[in-house]
């Protein structure tokens, strides 16, 4: 594909995802999404849980914790803003892919209308397109993160067993401490 066309397509994908996720992220922070605790619509507050739709249950659950709303909204805004800059676009994609994966699964499970799901899938596909256009950079980054220097094998096998035993012991200690806290603080 022509380099200039690829550049324009990537830029359009980045800007499109930025604008829409900026709107969604801001909406979360400004109270435009979710039924917030203390601000439930009367028809939701007065309906038995068993009679609520999946959407209403999900929207109420997601709105229960303002801290969670802040986390999701700020994460969406951060990832979206990182898409705007050449040096940070891949970091933005890597932040947004798990967020959009969660949104897609959430919408598939809880919603009975699929407009929001279609939009989330489109944003996800646009992020994959950005990764595709940057596949060489991504490949280098993965190789850099996963490169392991080859060592002679005779001594290495004994060292690996020793390391595995020490790590297993440390994991056992960490697990024990964790369980003490879980039991003290409750499940």
């Amino acid at each position: 594909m022509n380099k200039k066309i690829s550049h324009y397509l990537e830029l359009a994908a980045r800007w499109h995802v930025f604008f829409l996720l900026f709107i969604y992220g801001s909406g979360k922070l400004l109270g435009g999404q979710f039924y917030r605790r203390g601000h439930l619509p009367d028809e939701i507050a007065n309906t038995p849980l068993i009679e609520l739709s999946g959407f209403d249950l999900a929207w109420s659950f997601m709105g229960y914790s303002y801290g969670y709303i802040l986390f999701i909204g700020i994460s969406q805004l951060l990832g979206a803003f990182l898409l705007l800059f050449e040096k940070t676009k891949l970091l933005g994609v890597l932040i947004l892919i798990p967020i959009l994966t969660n949104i897609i699964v959430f919408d598939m499970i809880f919603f009975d209308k699929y407009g929001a799901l279609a939009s989330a899938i489109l944003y996800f596909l646009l992020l994959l397109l950005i990764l595709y256009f940057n596949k060489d950079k991504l490949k280098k980054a993965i190789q850099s993160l996963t490169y392991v220097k080859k060592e002679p094998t005779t001594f290495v096998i004994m060292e690996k067993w020793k390391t595995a035993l020490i790590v297993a012991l440390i994991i056992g200690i960490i697990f024990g401490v964790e369980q003490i806290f879980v039991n003290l603080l409750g499940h």
Side-chain angles (χ1 to χ4, degrees):
M1 182 180 292
N2 182 327
K3 237 179 176 185
K4 214 159 185 78
I5 293 173
S6 297
H7 173 72
Y8 291 138
L9 286 173
E10 181 194 322
L11 209 49
R14 288 167 42 198
W15 287 4
H16 183 80
V17 173
F18 163 76
F19 284 121
L20 276 297
L21 289 186
F22 176 80
I23 290 168
Y24 284 119
S26 298
K28 286 173 181 65
L29 299 180
L30 299 173
Q33 285 194 326
F34 308 131
Y35 300 144
R36 308 218 175 193
R37 188 167 46 164
H39 301 288
L40 287 173
D42 288 336
E43 65 272 8
I44 303 302
N46 296 322
T47 303
L49 284 176
I50 194 78
E51 294 176 19
L52 287 173
S53 69
F55 174 87
D56 291 329
L57 279 171
W59 226 236
S60 299
F61 176 75
M62 297 295 279
Y64 179 79
S65 168
Y66 188 66
Y68 182 74
I69 294 169
L70 284 176
F71 172 73
I72 295 299
I74 290 170
S75 297
Q76 284 181 334
L77 290 174
L78 175 64
F81 274 111
L82 290 172
L83 290 177
L84 294 177
F85 306 100
E86 189 65 29
K87 287 188 175 190
T88 59
K89 65 186 176 188
L90 292 179
L91 184 56
V93 169
L94 295 177
I95 289 171
L96 292 173
I97 280 181
I99 292 170
L100 283 165
T101 300
N102 183 59
I103 291 169
I104 289 167
V105 171
F106 188 85
D107 289 359
M108 287 171 59
I109 292 171
F110 290 105
F111 293 4
D112 56 358
K113 295 185 178 129
Y114 300 107
L117 173 62
S119 293
I121 291 171
L122 173 65
Y123 309 149
F124 184 84
L125 292 174
L126 290 172
L127 293 175
L128 292 180
L129 183 67
I130 295 166
L131 287 179
Y132 174 76
F133 286 136
N134 292 276
K135 62 184 172 284
D136 293 334
K137 288 181 187 176
L138 191 61
K139 183 179 177 183
K140 285 181 187 176
I142 291 171
Q143 286 173 340
S144 173
L145 291 170
T146 59
Y147 174 76
V148 177
K149 182 179 169 186
K150 300 275 182 181
E151 297 179 20
T153 58
T154 311
F155 180 70
V156 172
I157 292 173
M158 290 305 291
E159 272 302 305
K160 288 191 187 260
W161 274 105
K162 180 181 166 185
T163 300
L165 288 172
I166 292 170
V167 168
L169 177 65
I170 294 170
I171 289 172
I173 293 168
I174 292 170
F175 180 76
V177 171
E178 174 193 6
Q179 291 308 303
I180 290 169
F181 280 107
V182 167
N183 289 321
L184 286 174
L185 300 173
H187 294 276

